[in-house]
Amino acid sequence: MQTRLWKTTWLALTVLIIAGCASSGLIRNESIPAIEAGRGYSLAAFEKTLSRTDNGVMLAFSGGGTRAAALSYGVLQQLKDTLIEDRSGKRRLLDDVGVISSVSGGSFTAAYYGLHGDKIFDDYEEVFLKKNIARSLVSSLLNPLNWFSSADRTEHAIQYYETEVFNNATFADMLRPDAPMVLINATDLTGGVRFSFTQEYFDLLCSDLSSFPVSRAVTASSAVPLLFKPVVVENHDGCSDGIPNWLTIAKSRADEDPELALTVAGMESYFDKVNHKYAHFVDGGISDNLGLRSIFDMTRLAGGTQEMLDFFNIDIARRFVIILVDASTQPDNGMGTSREAPSIANTINAMTDIQLHRYNTATVAEMTKSLGEWGQELSSSSNPVEPYFIRLSFEDIRDRATREFVNEIPTSLSLTENQVDTVVKVGRDLLRSNPEFIRLLSDIANSSDSLAEN
């Protein structure tokens, strides 16, 4: 009986491997005949949302599987419960969030909130956080009805997310009144491009984002290479007369900015409709595990923060706030306790962690520097702009036992209820106790007091 079971299992796995090798990426992005400024899910469409308050709050959700999704969810909870009052009136600080930039695990929370708003606080834990997503995906793959399907692991994941999490939503459904703009970020293996799912980027593909499924974008953002095949989109032709003027201008500035040069080169590659006929999207964490780089890209391409705001007709807030929700961990790999050579798996994990933390450190340092420069650039004597950079990290957990517990939570899509509850609470606690966040709330309160006196 056991021999027969093993034979059946191996047969199933063989069929899955053959099907996976034979399948090719399904195309689900529609072409457009011409580029129209401000159409669909674009930055221009969110002009009023981004200009409505004194507090321009941007959130960046990192990667890290369900751990990252739970941490960012806890931060949203705390923002909901934080009440403020200024010249715009009394409200929740969550209502001042204009942009959410996300990668990988953080993209599940960002997309769900972008689609449903406050409904996330009613059912998100049941729909996603406390579900054993990994087991559900494996069960789908092992279902005999799927053995001879042309769909690969990635397509099975997309189908699961579409029916069980995002209810067949497209980016047109993300255009809710007063909703923040959600930048779901992935990495295009074809040209090494950091790609944001906005209409501005889809214009490069001569494609319509409004009809594109949210589940495909989130899967692309979280598709770990080797475990999942890329999400493929077609780079259509015929909607433009060549490289747009804004990209040509950006290229003229790129000689003095290596990062901008890389971004411009990646953008230009989409106009080669022969050699870049398809884009192969994988985990956004490969090119930016913190979700911050897309903000750099936008400002660099525009020529500066003020130029970007002018281009999209956005009024700058008095307070410019970026909250980074960093779910990266530093687990103890135990290498230092033994003279034995580490296993291949431990070596790969250690190499990945080293590269990830070094890149994250460089990104945070650049954001800290840039935010100060942006504040000076946007300020005037009559209208000063105060920047705030609020970084939330497991390193700042005060309780040692909790810190050690959280750092051992794996990057996966199947956490225990206790792990989820702990990380959600950590997200709330980290934001509430953050010194820069406390400074922000104090400044808002003082501004409100001054207005009342006048």
Side-chain angles (χ1 to χ4, degrees):
M1 182 69 180
Q2 287 182 337
T3 302
R4 186 180 303 168
L5 178 61
W6 274 110
K7 286 183 178 179
T8 303
T9 302
W10 277 112
L11 176 61
L13 291 174
T14 301
V15 170
L16 288 172
I17 292 171
I18 293 174
C21 293
S23 64
S24 59
L26 300 180
I27 306 298
R28 290 289 185 269
N29 64 306
E30 300 176 5
S31 63
I32 54 174
I35 294 174
E36 299 176 27
R39 70 183 293 274
Y41 197 81
S42 63
L43 281 168
F46 287 83
E47 167 208 337
K48 292 182 180 179
T49 299
L50 298 172
S51 303
R52 64 189 174 191
T53 75
D54 285 342
N55 310 299
V57 181
M58 304 177 70
L59 307 179
F61 292 165
S62 81
T66 300
R67 186 184 67 241
L71 186 67
S72 54
Y73 175 66
V75 170
L76 290 179
Q77 282 189 336
Q78 189 58 39
L79 288 170
K80 174 179 69 75
D81 293 341
T82 302
L83 302 180
I84 61 170
E85 184 174 10
D86 59 16
R87 61 184 177 181
S88 300
K90 189 172 184 178
R91 65 198 176 282
R92 310 171 308 175
L93 188 55
L94 179 62
D95 298 325
D96 285 359
V97 174
V99 175
I100 303 176
S101 176
S102 66
V103 295
S104 201
S107 290
F108 288 95
T109 304
Y112 202 87
Y113 181 67
L115 282 169
H116 301 298
D118 278 7
K119 183 176 179 287
I120 193 173
F121 304 115
D122 298 328
D123 63 6
Y124 186 56
E125 292 187 31
E126 177 185 353
V127 169
F128 183 77
L129 290 181
K130 293 184 177 179
K131 267 191 177 180
N132 192 327
I133 304 296
R135 183 173 61 191
S136 298
L137 294 179
V138 170
S139 297
S140 176
L141 284 168
L142 293 178
N143 185 338
L145 296 175
N146 294 326
W147 288 358
F148 298 96
S149 168
S150 61
D152 57 26
R153 289 188 297 274
T154 298
E155 286 302 320
H156 280 292
I158 291 171
Q159 291 167 14
Y160 178 85
Y161 299 147
E162 191 158 281
T163 57
E164 300 296 325
V165 182
F166 297 114
N167 295 318
N168 302 304
T170 66
F171 276 85
D173 298 310
M174 299 270 274
L175 288 167
R176 298 184 301 105
D178 298 325
M181 181 166 199
V182 176
L183 304 175
I184 298 173
N185 299 288
T187 304
D188 181 4
L189 287 180
T190 309
V193 180
R194 190 164 41 250
F195 191 96
S196 299
F197 284 84
T198 68
Q199 187 56 52
E200 284 84 1
Y201 274 77
F202 259 54
D203 283 343
L204 302 175
L205 307 174
C206 289
S207 187
D208 173 44
L209 181 61
S210 295
S211 59
F212 194 74
V214 172
S215 60
R216 299 190 80 84
V218 173
T219 303
S221 181
S222 58
V224 179
L226 301 182
L227 291 180
F228 293 94
K229 288 189 175 182
V231 173
V232 183
V233 300
E234 183 172 354
N235 186 9
H236 298 286
D237 197 2
C239 72
S240 65
D241 297 326
I243 297 176
N245 187 52
W246 61 265
L247 188 54
T248 301
I249 294 173
K251 186 175 182 179
S252 68
R253 300 192 308 270
D255 289 342
E256 300 178 359
D257 188 338
E259 184 78 16
L260 177 59
L262 285 173
T263 302
V264 169
M267 296 288 192
E268 282 187 314
S269 71
Y270 289 111
F271 294 93
D272 182 351
K273 303 295 181 176
V274 176
N275 295 309
H276 201 160
K277 178 64 176 173
Y278 299 97
H280 297 262
F281 293 132
V282 295
D283 198 326
I286 293 175
S287 55
D288 171 24
N289 194 54
L290 296 178
L292 286 175
R293 291 278 169 179
S294 60
I295 301 172
F296 289 129
D297 287 349
M298 289 188 295
T299 56
R300 282 193 170 104
L301 287 168
T305 313
Q306 187 62 62
E307 287 79 4
M308 182 187 72
L309 296 175
D310 291 343
F311 183 83
F312 292 108
N313 195 31
I314 299 170
D315 294 330
I316 186 60
R318 297 173 65 189
R319 288 172 283 272
F320 192 62
V321 185
I322 293 180
I323 301 177
L324 167 60
V325 185
D326 180 3
S328 61
T329 58
Q330 293 184 321
D332 184 3
N333 57 34
M335 288 185 188
T337 62
S338 173
R339 62 182 292 178
E340 298 296 327
S343 67
I344 294 176
N346 285 342
T347 300
I348 292 174
N349 287 335
M351 290 169 57
T352 303
D353 286 342
I354 291 169
Q355 292 173 333
L356 183 64
H357 285 294
R358 284 185 176 275
Y359 191 45
N360 286 356
T361 299
T363 300
V364 168
E366 186 173 0
M367 174 54 74
T368 303
K369 177 176 177 292
S370 296
L371 197 56
E373 294 173 349
W374 295 345
Q376 294 178 359
E377 178 186 350
L378 297 172
S379 292
S380 65
S381 57
S382 59
N383 185 34
V385 175
E386 182 69 19
Y388 303 80
F389 182 41
I390 300 167
R391 182 192 180 190
L392 309 178
S393 168
F394 292 144
E395 299 171 4
D396 299 321
I397 299 175
R398 295 174 181 175
D399 180 70
R400 179 178 177 180
T402 301
R403 185 170 63 252
E404 291 177 350
F405 176 79
V406 169
N407 270 291
E408 293 301 324
I409 295 177
T411 300
S412 74
L413 294 177
S414 57
L415 301 186
T416 67
E417 286 196 19
N418 183 41
Q419 288 172 327
V420 170
D421 290 339
T422 299
V423 175
V424 170
K425 183 178 184 302
V426 164
R428 295 179 64 103
D429 292 344
L430 285 175
L431 181 60
R432 186 169 50 242
S433 62
N434 182 275
E436 189 73 347
F437 184 68
I438 294 171
R439 181 174 78 91
L440 169 65
L441 297 184
S442 176
D443 289 350
I444 293 174
N446 291 337
S447 175
S448 177
D449 292 341
S450 297
L451 288 173
E453 292 175 0
N454 293 333

